[in-house]
């Protein structure tokens, strides 16, 4: 059974490519992968890479409202922007560091919960039954809604005096007073709930697709061997989902870490300290006051941090794969 | 062979695109002579919807076209996007010819150098400096430099009070001092109703009040050199006075600490709060079914015994200015349009519709502005309003101080005691984050 | 394989909890859309005091909702189609071939996901403007510019997802087809694609939804004629009032085609053709 090998795209090839039957094919085939990649390369360069490089360049300039019109007049300040924003002895540096911690906690919690809910739903909806298509569609609906409406609805629900959440909490007797959700310490929970509500359908979608490639006979074989639900899950489902999970968890982590819209729309532009996520923090402390050099420096710092985390993650998951 | 082919592709493509991006210098092509004149105008949202704004402006633009043959294409931009798009236009040298800007952005936009300065010659072309209300014109750019825009709609803060609730509580006149306001507020608070509604989580609103209270206590937010002076004792006292409405006097609902989407206006309209400090709330209140007879409009109070150095200021000069981009290909046409929009006739029509005040002195006495609300606002604008600091770092003041106040309101709402040390600590923290 | 009673119980509990979690905000949206504005601004009530469909009527005028909807549909569909096509070719190359630059490409593409959008917004905007000036192709404030941007945004994840999906399709099938004389393109179209339908559907949905819901770039790169729904909805928050009931009504109405699409696509989430074909 060859279907269990996980992708090895980053490993060096162990064997040379299959030798073709005729020499003419050899030249054509060795160019083919490059040709297939050309559209993707061109688009990525133009829309992602070059602007990113320009963004990094911006972080080395003192780019404020005075120079935004003609960048050639912006003084080159090297690493000054980085020094100014990352100095933990200053209030600004402290706040940025705090914001990183909050975002890290938020991201881990959000991705973890979204994945758990996604896999639970995908597994539970794997077996056909009446109404399955309806439930699958229902669960994908948060993903279909425009983010503005979704987050704004939650901000309604979290209003202290007029919101549904406090109404339910009071009516069911869970609390005896109306807590704040959009300011103060609970704001972390609020933004986490909204984030999970929006992310878990996406995890569900990917895991659902991934589960389709797990052949039924593998489950049958395990069942015949006497494996109960949890063992089938552990030894059949999870390993088969490893390629999907590897990508899914990583991108969910990156997207959630960088998430700007959710806190921006939930907190109306400025986040309370307990929910001061890094992307909105960067926006509030730089772009909104026209200091693009500093904003770029903070964004590049964020990028470097995520690069390190990603490299570590890929290293760890790669190791486990070759051990398997 | 294919060695390094992708890498080579990468580098050549990158260089090519970088070169293209590097050509960001503005090189406007000259206008071919005799081409039909058209202007692009970005209007801000002043009315009840983007569509409503378009309906209001289009007849005026048609009138302008009939008079001058210049066609104006208008796009109404929501406030949430306007500044971003102005920035993008200023950066790229491409965009509209004429724009509305919030007047608090004036100094920052002036610093970009992307707009035509209204020096004496230019401002003479649109009717002359003396036509404009001095306070409004002062809020159009840094002092000592030619304004970067001219005012078109003017607004000021006022105290709105619910007549019935006042009558029921036996209060005969709107308070003229903060002490009286607290006394009145205490009488009006109770039974699910509150004396005063504040928009505690709205950064801009907080900053505007910070300015007004600061002025009354004799504080300044920037010194003469443009350096931030946030945590002076006067400013601390000023901010504390405003926060105390919720923290000490308890005349503001703690829930107000999370209001950022004009919920305080709704509370006032629904009779949940008896008083409101707001800019020209009349149109908003009407849209929420509160008739103008139900409320009164009074000037914002002062301190009963102001400290030395305290100024007699009870509102910022609020309003909308009109600016012309330097990259416009139709400079004369653009100035003609500005002249049109600041003409007597248009000032009356537009400000009457929007419920704001004219920015030109010549029509102040028009019957359109004789309603009680307009009269009260005009008085404030004429005598006791002052512009926000016209320095490029003004946006930092708004963001940092406004956020500090939001956090203080959050603390007050959760029952913490707000001491002067706390206020000072927050303001010092804010000041340390100012980037010079 | 029969399901035990315990398994069935757990399944229904899980489904019930997830349903409540998902549906509660949807319920709030639905009732808010049917409430008069005054209700929405006041205390929360489970039911409207006076159910009304006025918001559903007004919402088309307050903001040019029809045009925004059309723009969003066009931009998202075209971006999705092109994005998936480009991703399929790229994933095929990454999955089935080893070549120099493979690792670099993968890592570069992945690293684009780490970059905060705010940072490359301005540079990208400048590039579009300058390209537009140089070549006459309007990329700024045009649907074309948005399409190109969005299709690129969804590429990295699509490529990664499809590569993983293609990798799990056994080479044995490729070889079988090649023995029959198939060239690489025929292998792609006749072997790989039919076996990857669920993955392709997932990726198409993702590409469409990325374009459908993107807010930041749309707010700067569009003008009134090219604006999409995601930012257009903010137009309901005006100077005087935020028409919450219309926001909810509009969001529900524009989501109907998308949700209907999801329902329709259910049939493609079936077990791949490789199930049972593996020796």
């Amino acid at each position: 059974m060859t279907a269990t090998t996980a992708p090895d795209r980053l490993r060096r090839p162990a064997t040379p490519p299959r030798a073709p039957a005729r020499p003419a094919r050899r030249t054509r085939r060795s160019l083919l992968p490059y040709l297939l990649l050309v559209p993707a390369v061109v688009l990525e360069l133009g829309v992602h890479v070059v602007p990113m490089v320009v963004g990094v360049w911006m972080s080395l300039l003192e780019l404020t409202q005075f120079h935004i019109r003609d960048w050639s007049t912006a003084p080159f300040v090297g690493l000054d922007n980085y020094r100014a924003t990352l100095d933990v002895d200053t209030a600004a540096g402290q706040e940025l560091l705090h914001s990183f911690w909050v975002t890290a906690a938020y991201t881990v919690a959000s991705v973890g919960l979204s994945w758990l809910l996604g896999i639970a739903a995908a597994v539970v909806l794997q077996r056909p039954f009446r109404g399955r298509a309806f439930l699958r569609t229902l669960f994908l609906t948060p993903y279909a809604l425009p983010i503005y409406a979704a987050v704004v609805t939650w901000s309604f629900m979290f209003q202290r005096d007029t919101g549904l959440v406090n109404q339910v909490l009071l009516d069911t007797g869970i609390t005896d007073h109306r807590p704040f959700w959009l300011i103060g310490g609970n704001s972390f929970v609020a933004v986490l709930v909204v984030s999970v509500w929006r992310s878990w359908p996406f995890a569900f979608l990917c895991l659902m697709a991934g589960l389709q490639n797990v052949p039924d006979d593998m489950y049958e074989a395990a069942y015949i061997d006497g494996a109960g639900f949890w063992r089938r899950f552990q030894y059949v489902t999870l390993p088969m989902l490893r390629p999907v999970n590897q990508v899914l968890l990583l991108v969910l982590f990156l997207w959630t870490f960088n998430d700007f819209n959710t806190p921006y729309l939930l907190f109306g532009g400025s986040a309370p300290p307990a929910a001061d996520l890094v992307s909105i923090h960067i926006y509030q402390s730089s772009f909104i006051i026209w200091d693009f050099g500093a904003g770029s420096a903070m964004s590049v710092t964020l990028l470097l941090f995520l690069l390190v985390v990603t490299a570590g993650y890929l290293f760890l998951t790669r190791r486990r794969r070759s051990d398997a | 062979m294919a060695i390094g082919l992708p890498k080579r592709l990468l580098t050549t493509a990158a260089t090519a695109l970088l070169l293209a991006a590097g050509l960001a210098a503005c090189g406007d092509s000259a206008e071919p002579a005799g081409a039909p004149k058209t202007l692009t105008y970005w209007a801000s949202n002043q009315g009840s919807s983007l569509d409503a704004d378009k309906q209001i402006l289009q007849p005026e633009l048609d009138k302008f076209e009939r008079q001058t043959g210049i066609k104006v294409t208008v796009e109404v931009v929501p406030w949430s996007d306007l500044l971003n798009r102005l920035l993008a236009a200023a950066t790229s040298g491409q965009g509209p010819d004429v724009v509305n800007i919030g007047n608090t952005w004036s100094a920052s936009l002036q610093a970009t150098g992307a707009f035509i300065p209204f020096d004496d010659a230019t401002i003479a072309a649109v009717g002359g400096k003396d036509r404009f209300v001095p306070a409004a014109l002062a809020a159009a750019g840094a002092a000592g430099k030619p304004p970067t825009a001219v005012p078109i709609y003017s607004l000021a803060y006022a105290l709105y009070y619910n007549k019935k609730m006042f009558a029921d509580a036996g209060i005969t006149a709107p308070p003229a001092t903060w002490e009286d306001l607290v006394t009145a507020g205490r009488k009006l608070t109770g039974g699910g109703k509150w004396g005063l509604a504040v928009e505690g989580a709205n950064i801009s609103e907080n900053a505007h009040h910070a300015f007004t209270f600061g002025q009354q206590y004799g504080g300044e937010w920037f010194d003469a050199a443009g350096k931030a002076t946030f945590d002076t004792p006067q400013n601390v006292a000023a901010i504390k006075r405003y926060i105390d409405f919720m923290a000490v006097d308890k005349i503001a609902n703690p829930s107000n600490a999370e209001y950022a989407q004009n919920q305080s206006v709704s509370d006032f309209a629904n009779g949940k709060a008896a008083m409101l400090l707001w800019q020209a709330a009349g149109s908003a209140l009407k849209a929420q079914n509160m008739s103008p007879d139900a409320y009164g409009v009074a000037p914002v109070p002062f301190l009963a015994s102001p400290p030395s150095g305290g100024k007699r200021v009870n509102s910022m000069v609020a309003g909308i200015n009109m600016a012309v981009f330097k990259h416009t290909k139709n400079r004369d046409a653009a100035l003609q349009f500005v002249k049109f929009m600041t003409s007597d006739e248009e000032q009356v029509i537009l400000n009457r519709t929007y419920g704001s005040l004219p920015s030109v002195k010549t029509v102040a006495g028009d019957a359109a502005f004789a309603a009680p609300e307009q009269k009260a606002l005009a008085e404030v604008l004429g005598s006791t309003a002052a512009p926000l600091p016209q320095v490029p770092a003004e946006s930092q003041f708004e963001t940092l101080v406004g956020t500090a106040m939001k956090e203080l309101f959050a603390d007050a709402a959760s029952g913490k005691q707000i001491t002067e040390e706390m206020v000072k600590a927050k303001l010092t923290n804010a000041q340390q984050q100012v980037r010079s | 394989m029969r399901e035990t009673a315990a398994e069935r119980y757990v399944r229904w509990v899980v489904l019930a909890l997830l349903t409540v979690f998902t549906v509660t905000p949807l319920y709030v949206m639905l009732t808010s859309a049917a409430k008069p504005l005054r209700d929405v601004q006041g205390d929360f009530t489970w039911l409207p005091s006076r159910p009304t469909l006025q918001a559903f009527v007004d919402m088309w005028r307050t903001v040019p909702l029809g045009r925004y909807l059309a723009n969003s549909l066009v931009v998202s569909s075209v971006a999705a189609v092109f994005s998936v096509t480009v991703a399929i070719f790229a994933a095929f190359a990454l999955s089935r071939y080893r070549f120099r630059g493979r690792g670099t490409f993968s890592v570069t593409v992945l690293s684009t996901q780490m970059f905060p959008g705010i940072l490359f917004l301005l540079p990208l905007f400048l590039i579009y403007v300058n390209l537009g000036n140089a070549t006459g192709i309007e990329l700024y404030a045009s649907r074309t510019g948005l399409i190109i941007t969005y299709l690129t945004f969804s590429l990295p994840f699509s490529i990664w997802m499809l590569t993983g999906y293609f990798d799990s399709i056994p080479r044995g099938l490729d070889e079988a087809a090649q023995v029959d004389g198939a060239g690489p393109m025929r292998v792609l179209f006749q072997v790989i694609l039919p076996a990857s339908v669920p993955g392709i559907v997932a990726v198409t949905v993702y590409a469409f939804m990325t374009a459908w819901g993107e807010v930041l770039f749309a707010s700067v790169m569009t003008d009134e004629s090219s604006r999409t729904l995601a930012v257009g909805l903010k137009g309901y928050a005006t100077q005087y009032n935020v028409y919450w009931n219309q926001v909810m009504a509009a969001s529900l109405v524009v989501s109907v085609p998308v949700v209907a699409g999801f329902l329709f696509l259910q049939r493609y989430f079936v077990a791949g053709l490789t199930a049972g074909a593996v020796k």
Side-chain angles (χ1 to χ4, degrees):
Chain A
M1 294 218 286
T2 56
T4 45
T5 347
D8 52 5
R9 52 188 160 277
L10 294 183
R11 255 201 296 186
R12 297 192 134 272
T15 55
R18 230 173 81 95
R22 281 173 281 159
R25 275 239 186 124
R26 184 180 304 149
T27 337
R28 223 200 355 215
R29 193 182 289 169
S30 55
L31 265 188
L32 183 60
Y34 296 109
L35 285 177
L36 290 171
L37 284 182
V38 161
V41 167
V42 167
L43 285 168
E44 283 295 331
L45 274 184
V47 176
H48 265 144
V49 175
V50 169
M52 269 165 62
V53 169
V54 175
V56 173
W57 174 248
M58 276 164 69
S59 72
L60 303 173
L61 302 174
E62 186 185 313
L63 197 58
T64 59
Q65 67 255 50
F66 298 95
H67 307 293
I68 197 71
R69 197 163 162 244
D70 187 4
W71 292 12
S72 56
T73 61
F76 180 83
V77 292
L79 294 178
D80 274 0
N81 282 326
Y82 292 92
R83 269 190 275 273
T85 53
L86 297 178
D87 184 358
V88 286
D89 292 329
T90 63
Q94 288 276 346
E95 307 237 329
L96 183 63
L97 189 60
H98 166 82
S99 160
F100 257 96
W101 285 122
V102 170
T103 315
Y106 161 80
T107 307
V108 167
S110 171
V111 174
L113 284 171
S114 299
W115 186 85
L116 277 172
L117 294 184
I119 193 77
V123 163
V124 148
L125 291 177
Q126 185 68 353
R127 187 188 289 271
F129 62 90
R130 278 250 305 267
R132 179 174 75 152
F134 168 74
L135 273 178
R136 274 177 163 174
T137 311
L138 179 70
F139 288 160
L140 286 178
T141 308
Y143 187 45
L145 285 172
I147 184 173
Y148 177 67
V151 180
V152 144
T153 305
W154 275 104
S155 81
F156 274 171
M157 289 167 61
F158 279 127
Q159 296 277 325
R160 182 182 182 245
D161 283 348
T162 59
L164 180 151
V165 170
N166 278 351
Q167 190 79 27
V168 167
L169 286 178
L170 271 184
D171 286 348
T172 55
I174 299 180
T175 59
D176 59 347
H177 65 281
R178 288 173 181 273
F180 277 104
W181 293 101
L182 297 178
I183 54 176
N186 287 340
S187 54
F188 181 81
V189 173
V191 73
L192 181 63
V193 165
V194 178
S195 171
V196 171
W197 190 80
R198 293 202 73 252
S199 305
W200 89 264
F202 181 72
F204 168 58
L205 177 72
C206 296
L207 291 167
M208 189 166 50
L211 276 184
Q212 302 313 318
N213 252 13
V214 180
D216 270 342
D217 30 356
M218 288 187 75
Y219 285 118
E220 292 285 352
Y223 180 74
I224 289 169
D225 285 348
F229 174 78
W230 280 114
R231 300 204 65 155
R232 290 202 299 273
F233 183 72
Q234 212 180 337
Y235 292 111
V236 176
T237 313
L238 280 185
M240 289 300 284
L241 281 180
R242 184 162 288 153
V244 172
N245 277 335
Q246 197 211 18
V247 180
L248 178 66
L249 288 174
L250 181 61
V251 292
L252 271 183
F253 181 86
L254 295 174
W255 293 341
T256 311
F257 210 92
N258 273 330
D259 189 7
F260 176 77
N261 286 318
T262 307
Y264 184 74
L265 292 170
L266 187 63
F267 299 119
S270 76
D276 191 14
L277 300 181
V278 74
S279 52
I280 200 176
H281 181 90
I282 294 178
Y283 179 75
Q284 282 286 105
S285 56
S286 60
F287 289 97
I288 211 174
I289 58 178
W290 299 80
D291 191 348
F292 305 103
S296 306
M298 290 192 267
S299 304
V300 172
T301 311
L302 175 60
L303 167 66
L304 290 174
F305 169 75
L306 291 175
L307 263 172
V308 167
V309 168
T310 306
Y313 174 82
L314 287 177
F315 178 70
L316 282 174
T317 52
R318 191 190 316 169
R319 268 263 294 273
R320 222 182 294 139
R321 235 182 301 125
S322 47
D323 287 349
Chain B
M1 258 303 286
I3 303 171
L5 180 58
K7 281 209 188 69
R8 235 181 275 142
L9 255 173
L10 262 148
T11 35
T12 30
T15 330
L17 280 163
L18 262 170
L19 280 173
L23 295 173
C26 327
D28 299 355
S29 50
E31 243 253 315
K37 299 264 187 87
T38 57
L39 289 176
T40 310
Y41 169 45
W42 282 358
S44 53
N45 166 227
Q46 302 299 124
S48 61
S49 72
L50 302 179
D51 194 53
D53 275 323
K54 212 149 180 203
Q55 307 284 346
I56 292 168
L57 288 171
Q58 197 56 51
E60 313 309 315
L61 302 180
D62 294 338
K63 194 195 298 179
F64 181 65
E65 190 176 358
R66 280 196 301 274
Q67 288 177 5
T68 61
I70 304 171
K71 184 167 164 52
V72 179
T73 330
V74 66
E75 183 182 337
V76 184
V77 183
W79 281 104
S80 52
D81 293 343
L82 184 55
L83 191 53
N84 281 349
R85 295 185 66 190
L86 284 177
L87 160 71
T91 313
S92 64
Q94 192 156 314
D97 301 292
V98 185
V99 291
N100 283 4
I101 64 174
N103 70 351
T104 52
W105 302 341
S106 302
S108 296
L109 291 176
Q110 188 177 43
T112 65
F115 297 91
I116 295 181
F118 278 86
D119 53 22
D120 291 337
T122 318
I123 205 169
V126 298
K129 194 193 281 194
D130 295 328
R131 285 190 73 231
F132 294 100
V133 173
L137 197 57
K145 289 200 198 141
T148 196
V150 291
I152 52 169
Y153 311 130
S154 289
L155 298 155
Y157 275 81
L159 173 67
Y160 292 80
Y161 60 95
N162 186 317
K163 284 187 183 159
K164 182 168 185 319
M165 288 171 81
F166 263 50
D168 289 346
I171 306 172
T172 47
T177 67
W178 295 117
E179 291 77 358
D180 286 346
L181 185 132
V182 170
T183 318
R186 290 221 178 95
K187 286 194 205 152
L188 293 157
T189 302
K193 310 252 193 253
W194 297 87
L196 179 68
V198 301
E199 193 85 354
N202 186 322
I203 309 285
S204 313
E205 286 295 318
N206 284 344
H208 296 169
H209 291 299
F211 171 73
T212 312
F213 280 85
Q215 292 280 293
Q216 292 190 4
Y217 277 82
E220 290 293 343
W221 297 97
F222 294 94
D223 62 18
K227 218 168 95 56
T229 52
F230 292 173
D231 57 357
T232 58
Q234 295 91 337
N235 286 340
V236 170
I239 301 294
K240 185 159 191 306
R241 172 63 271 173
Y242 185 56
I243 306 284
D244 276 351
F245 290 141
M246 181 187 290
V248 169
D249 307 314
K250 310 241 190 278
I251 59 174
N253 186 346
S255 294
N256 286 189
E258 67 180 18
Y259 281 5
Q261 280 139 354
N262 299 0
Q263 291 101 317
S264 52
V265 178
S266 298
D267 275 2
F268 181 75
N270 295 339
K272 280 206 211 142
M275 293 187 278
L276 176 70
L277 296 164
W278 205 259
Q279 276 186 45
S283 321
L285 291 171
K286 190 150 126 216
Q288 300 201 33
N289 298 322
M290 191 179 196
S291 105
D293 304 323
Y295 59 86
V297 184
V300 172
F302 294 93
L303 283 169
S305 27
S308 68
K311 301 203 183 65
R312 200 158 168 79
V313 167
N314 64 354
S315 169
M316 63 171 273
V317 175
I320 310 295
N321 295 348
M322 196 176 232
V324 179
F325 269 106
K326 267 191 197 160
H327 62 235
T328 174
K329 298 188 174 62
N330 288 316
R331 190 198 147 106
D332 292 328
L335 290 176
Q336 257 186 293
F337 182 58
V338 173
K339 183 171 180 187
F340 172 75
M341 292 290 274
T342 55
S343 66
D344 288 359
E345 186 184 345
E346 292 310 309
Q347 280 288 302
V348 171
I349 295 174
L350 291 170
N351 283 300
R352 178 181 55 211
T353 319
Y354 285 137
S356 48
L357 292 171
S359 60
V360 294
K361 293 191 276 198
T362 40
V363 297
D366 192 292
F369 309 115
E373 188 195 8
Q374 270 58 37
K375 279 190 116 120
L377 293 174
E379 198 193 306
V380 170
L381 206 53
S383 50
T384 50
L388 284 180
Q390 294 292 308
V391 292
E394 191 274 338
S395 53
Q396 297 196 50
F397 155 69
E398 269 199 41
T399 311
L400 292 165
V401 174
T403 307
M405 290 167 71
K406 174 178 175 175
E407 289 168 17
L408 284 168
F409 270 123
D411 287 340
S414 58
K416 287 206 197 97
Q417 212 193 358
I418 307 295
T419 61
E420 276 197 17
E421 287 74 37
M422 279 176 75
V423 177
K424 185 165 165 55
K426 278 264 194 290
L427 288 176
T428 309
N429 189 308
Q431 183 171 318
Q432 284 169 353
Q433 295 181 54
V434 173
R435 242 186 297 286
S436 43
Chain C
M1 219 175 17
R2 297 274 311 139
E3 196 183 25
T4 69
E7 285 172 12
R8 184 173 313 160
Y9 176 72
V10 167
R11 174 211 293 217
W12 288 110
V13 167
V14 167
L15 285 179
L17 289 173
L18 285 175
T19 305
V20 169
F21 182 49
T22 304
V23 160
T24 311
L26 296 179
Y27 175 79
V28 172
M29 286 180 70
L30 199 51
T31 51
S32 301
K35 283 180 179 171
L37 186 58
R38 221 194 133 96
D39 266 14
V40 183
Q41 288 165 335
D43 288 349
F44 172 75
T45 51
W46 288 99
L47 292 172
S49 64
R50 182 174 60 83
T52 165
L53 293 180
Q54 192 58 33
F56 288 91
V57 171
D58 291 340
M59 69 188 192
W60 300 99
R61 280 297 306 276
T62 312
V63 139
L65 190 63
R67 189 184 332 139
Y68 293 169
L69 180 58
N71 283 341
S72 276
L73 281 173
V74 167
V75 166
S76 304
S77 313
V78 176
V81 165
F82 279 108
S83 179
V84 174
T85 312
V86 172
I88 286 177
F89 286 131
F92 182 59
L94 285 176
S95 170
R96 289 310 194 242
Y97 293 92
R98 285 143 173 69
F99 53 92
R100 256 196 236 250
R102 195 168 167 243
T104 315
F105 177 78
S106 293
V107 170
T108 312
V109 148
L110 178 62
S111 68
T112 62
Q113 298 301 283
M114 308 173 205
F115 219 70
I118 279 190
L119 181 48
F120 67 96
L121 170 65
L122 260 188
L124 183 63
F125 172 77
L126 278 175
I127 291 177
Y128 278 8
V129 166
N130 284 298
L131 273 181
N133 289 340
T135 63
I137 307 172
E138 263 317 308
L139 289 175
Y140 164 66
S142 75
R143 298 203 283 215
T144 316
L146 279 184
I147 290 173
I148 295 179
T149 312
Y150 292 154
L151 88 89
T152 315
F153 279 6
S154 47
L155 268 184
F157 178 76
S158 305
I159 294 177
W160 269 69
M161 187 67 167
L162 283 178
T163 309
Y165 219 83
F166 289 177
D167 278 349
S168 66
I169 295 170
R171 302 288 172 106
L173 294 179
D174 286 37
E175 284 157 17
Q178 279 161 349
V179 158
D180 287 346
M185 286 296 110
R186 274 186 61 191
V187 171
L188 173 63
F189 286 107
Q190 291 184 351
V191 175
I192 309 266
L193 288 191
S196 330
V197 168
I200 291 179
V201 169
V203 157
T204 312
V205 167
Y206 164 70
F208 182 90
M209 294 306 301
T210 302
W212 184 259
E214 201 283 326
V215 174
L216 182 62
F217 286 77
S219 71
V220 170
M221 302 262 200
T222 57
D223 62 0
E224 207 180 353
S225 65
S226 55
R227 187 159 300 139
T228 56
L229 277 174
V231 278
L233 287 176
K234 290 201 271 182
Y236 287 108
T238 67
Q239 266 305 76
Y240 291 176
N241 234 339
V242 185
Y243 296 101
W244 297 119
N245 52 351
Q246 291 181 33
V247 172
M248 300 302 155
S251 307
L252 289 171
V253 163
V254 304
S255 302
V256 164
V258 179
V259 173
F262 284 172
L263 195 54
F264 171 72
L265 289 173
Q266 293 293 326
R267 75 176 72 173
Y268 294 107
F269 279 101
V270 293
L273 297 178
T274 54
V278 176
K279 311 284 178 292

